[in-house]
């Protein structure tokens, strides 16, 4: 059996008639920048997230960057980021001219460790930027307490966590704003790039509205030096279809994760830990193994696709070589990068495929 890591074609085929109709509706509208599809999606996504505002932008990196800009982050400022994350989290900070200050994760959850944040705060710190990695919420309450104590903003990176809940409340406005990505492989994925920022803060919403449109709210009147970062109406139309299906697809992911949690418990792999206050949406199902590379190769030979999220932590990327971080600077992030492996968990996976993944993983680990 050949089991891909993620089958985006299957996701389209499940919703093909609805997506095709939405695309045709958008094309027939005559609005190819902005318009009803974008406005309707923004309203629907804000309602889904429990936030007052949702501002569509071109992609997830722009969502992070523009949210930081709306929080007045600029040269000389520092932003606390996880050491264990996709590099986009850091790049958004750097694009503002600010400095990312890494903090190590909780070894059990992979998310930033709130107990280590306060020691990283300096007079230049402006924002704390937790990531809800792999679809599991970061521990927001202690982060918010620290932020309030020091007068800092909190921007959440929700790119992998559409629909996740923290202490019973859906992510969307725990902090000052949340940046979202609609990259095709996300739980809520477009058929191209897309992103948005949700917030309850009218000032942040207004600033992003201006920044994303060349720094203008009135045509040909430019208040600031802005950007061209707008959610495409075709993608908005597709996202509206998928948003209506998101909870069902997240429930399917959860069912697969529970099978893995039970079926892989005796394999010796380190399985995901879910705190009692977290309701993850299982964007990724990530295991750890000291023999990760051999495990991945063996799974490939058994027809099981897998991916590494992420093989090189940001501080060791060439893009940040001038920052001076050497091997060993963030040992937890480095260990995770050398041991993590993501197993298939797409919502279109069939029960026999899930069983085959578990059987292959158990067989491979047993032989190893």
């Amino acid at each position: 059996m050949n089991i891909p890591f993620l089958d985006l074609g299957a996701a389209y085929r499940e919703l093909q008639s609805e997506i095709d109709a939405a695309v045709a509706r958008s094309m027939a509208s005559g609005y190819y920048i902005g318009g009803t599809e974008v406005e309707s999606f923004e309203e629907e996504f804000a309602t889904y997230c429990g936030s007052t505002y949702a501002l569509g932008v071109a992609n997830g990196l722009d969502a992070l960057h523009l949210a930081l800009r709306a929080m007045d982050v600029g040269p000389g400022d520092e932003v606390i980021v996880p050491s264990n994350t996709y590099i986009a989290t850091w790049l958004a900070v750097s694009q503002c001219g600010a400095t990312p200050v890494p903090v190590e994760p909780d070894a059990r959850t992979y998310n930033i460790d709130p107990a280590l944040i306060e020691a990283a705060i300096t007079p230049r710190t402006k924002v704390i930027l937790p990531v809800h990695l792999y679809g599991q919420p970061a521990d927001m309450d202690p982060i918010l307490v620290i932020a309030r104590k020091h007068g800092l903003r909190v921007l959440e990176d929700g790119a992998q966590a559409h629909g996740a809940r923290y202490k019973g409340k859906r992510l969307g406005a725990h902090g000052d704003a949340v940046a979202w990505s609609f990259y095709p492989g996300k739980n809520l994925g477009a058929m191209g790039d897309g992103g948005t920022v949700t917030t309850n803060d009218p000032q942040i919403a207004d600033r992003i509205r201006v920044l994303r449109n060349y720094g203008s709210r009135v045509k040909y009147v430019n208040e600031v030096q802005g950007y061209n970062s707008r959610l495409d109406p075709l993608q908005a139309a597709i996202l509206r279809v998928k948003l209506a299906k998101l909870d069902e697809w997240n429930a399917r992911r959860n069912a697969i994760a529970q099978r893995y949690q039970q079926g892989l418990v005796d394999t010796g792999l380190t399985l995901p830990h879910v705190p009692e206050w977290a309701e993850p949406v299982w964007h990724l199902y990530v295991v750890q193994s000291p023999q990760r590379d051999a495990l991945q190769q063996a799974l490939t030979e058994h027809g099981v696709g897998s991916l590494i999220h992420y093989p090189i932590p940001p501080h060791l990327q060439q893009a940040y070589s001038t920052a001076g971080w050497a091997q060993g600077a963030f040992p937890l992030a480095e260990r995770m990068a050398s041991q993590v492996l993501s197993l298939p968990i797409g919502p279109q996976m069939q029960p026999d495929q899930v069983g085959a993944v578990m059987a292959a993983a158990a067989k491979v680990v047993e032989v190893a």
Side-chain angles (χ1 to χ4, degrees), residues 97-109:
T99 301
V101 177
V103 168
E104 287 273 68
D106 181 315
R108 301 166 303 165
T109 67

Side-chain angles (χ1 to χ4, degrees), residues 55-71 86-89 91-93 95-96 129 155-157 159 177-182 193-198 204 207-209 211-214 226-232:
L55 297 310
V57 295
N59 54 66
L61 176 55
D62 281 4
L64 287 165
H65 175 219
L66 295 183
L68 289 169
R69 283 289 315 275
M71 294 175 181
Y86 183 55
I87 197 170
T89 312
L91 292 175
V93 176
Q95 286 179 357
C96 293
L129 207 173
L155 170 61
E156 305 164 60
D157 184 337
V178 187
W180 304 90
S181 167
F182 302 128
D193 269 321
T196 196
V197 178
T198 55
I204 290 176
R207 294 200 65 184
I208 291 173
R209 219 174 268 121
L211 285 167
R212 71 180 178 179
N213 187 42
Y214 298 99
Y227 306 86
N228 175 18
S229 181
R230 296 175 292 205
L231 179 61
D232 187 279

Side-chain angles (χ1 to χ4, degrees), residues 50 101 127 134 177 193 212 239 263 287 315 331 348-349:
V101 177
V127 174
Y134 308 150
D193 269 321
R212 71 180 178 179
L239 288 166
V287 299
H315 71 280
Q348 281 71 41
M349 281 185 74

